[in-house]
Amino acid sequence: MVASKLITRACLCVALLLIVVLCHGLARAADAEPTGEHALLAKYAAIKAKLDKNQFGAPIYLESTEGSDSVRVDMYGVFHHPFETVREALQSPAGWCEITPLHLNIKACVYKTTKQQTQLTLYSGRKYFQPPSDAYPLKLAFRVAANRPDYLELALVGDEGPFGTRDHRIGVQAAPLEGQGTFLHFSYTYSHGTMARMAIKTYFATLGRDKVGFTMVGEDGKQTYIDGVRGAVERNTMRYYLALQTYLDTLKTPEGQRFEQRLNRWYDLTAKYPRQLKEIDKAAYLSNKKLERAQQEALQAKQGN
């Protein structure tokens, strides 16, 4: 009995470690990767058929790769909002502190702007309510790499994170489409060291053994959803992507009603993919997020921005 309790406790600790690694594990893109509006629109032309018809039932396309010490997920999608609206909304660090806490495991987001840079701090934890003091913080430099009438590029970058994670990065690229739409690329990657790798392996052999992502693998007729760390990063990337969609879809909502509507919409969007994204019921999610919102507002007030 004692041994069983110790094993369960160890698995829970590993689960928390994995959440931190995956929520904060956002990594450096390959240096040779083409960037700019021309490369982005070329990608749109190449995958347009897959955006029109796919397993998501939405204009979304997902790619993922896994190396020995890193995982990368790229999501591409069409937002039915004018590019000017998207560009204005996403270049604001305050906007990102409305977006990221919709994610189940992000307990708070605060930002601070100085003459040198803008810094975001994300606090991540378990799926139930936690104050930021009980969560793990990660400081990310918020950089607007390009901001033009025909192209937006952002990066949220952190060199080091908890438990040996490194090269943390979220990348966003967006360009206008004909017909008042916007094509957006959201990338999420991370690198990890030996400690994180061992913890992740343990987690997916125990508590996380039934969790899957979105990519289908295997031979024809015997395909299954990808599992393990690659599947986990796909799930977390989708949660962030749907948070982006939620934020943009609710910009015209009266300000006093936005937070409540965003919570409901994000949960409803994730509910379309229960196999991958179902964790808690809606009532618990709404209750937790309202408590966490108050904590975030108190933290932000101390930042002075």
Side-chain angles (χ1 to χ4, degrees), residues 20-247:
V20 175
V21 169
L22 296 177
C23 287
H24 290 338
L26 322 166
R28 182 170 54 199
D31 294 335
E33 179 181 300
T35 60
E37 69 275 21
H38 297 299
L40 185 60
L41 292 176
K43 182 68 174 183
Y44 171 73
I47 65 172
K48 187 177 184 306
K50 295 177 180 179
L51 289 167
D52 293 338
K53 186 177 181 180
N54 55 61
Q55 76 271 32
F56 300 109
I60 297 173
Y61 177 70
L62 182 151
E63 296 176 332
S64 66
T65 56
E66 182 174 3
S68 59
D69 64 351
S70 65
V71 177
R72 177 182 177 104
V73 177
D74 292 274
M75 292 195 66
Y76 300 87
V78 175
F79 290 114
H80 300 295
H81 300 284
F83 175 72
E84 291 181 0
T85 299
V86 174
R87 184 183 65 169
E88 181 67 23
L90 297 188
Q91 66 181 289
S92 164
W96 281 88
C97 280
E98 296 291 330
I99 294 166
T100 52
L102 294 173
H103 189 301
L104 185 71
N105 298 113
I106 300 300
K107 308 289 103 179
C109 169
V110 296
Y111 68 96
K112 186 175 182 63
T113 300
T114 66
K115 292 182 179 180
Q116 289 74 33
Q117 69 172 10
T118 295
Q119 180 178 275
L120 266 67
T121 303
L122 301 182
Y123 296 84
S124 67
R126 302 292 299 278
K127 59 188 176 184
Y128 52 74
F129 166 73
Q130 285 179 297
S133 57
D134 291 343
Y136 286 87
L138 177 71
K139 299 183 186 299
L140 298 169
F142 181 86
R143 301 172 182 170
V144 180
N147 183 10
R148 303 194 299 269
D150 60 353
Y151 183 64
L152 175 70
E153 184 171 342
L154 307 172
L156 282 71
V157 180
D159 294 331
E160 296 181 2
F163 302 108
T165 58
R166 61 189 185 275
D167 297 334
H168 302 265
R169 177 173 297 219
I170 285 176
V172 174
Q173 299 169 294
L177 298 173
E178 293 183 5
Q180 295 296 298
T182 299
F183 183 55
L184 187 139
H185 170 210
F186 180 90
S187 60
Y188 176 112
T189 55
Y190 80 98
S191 300
H192 55 75
T194 301
M195 180 179 179
R197 183 165 55 251
M198 292 175 62
I200 290 168
K201 183 177 180 181
T202 300
Y203 174 78
F204 285 114
T206 54
L207 295 180
R209 60 183 176 273
D210 295 325
K211 295 180 179 292
V212 298
F214 293 91
T215 298
M216 299 297 293
V217 294
E219 299 178 356
D220 291 342
K222 297 182 180 179
Q223 289 194 327
T224 59
Y225 287 114
I226 191 75
D227 57 11
V229 65
R230 185 174 159 196
V233 178
E234 288 188 359
R235 292 194 302 276
N236 278 282
T237 304
M238 176 64 88
R239 289 186 173 111
Y240 280 122
Y241 183 88
L242 295 177
L244 274 171
Q245 180 180 336
T246 297
Y247 179 72

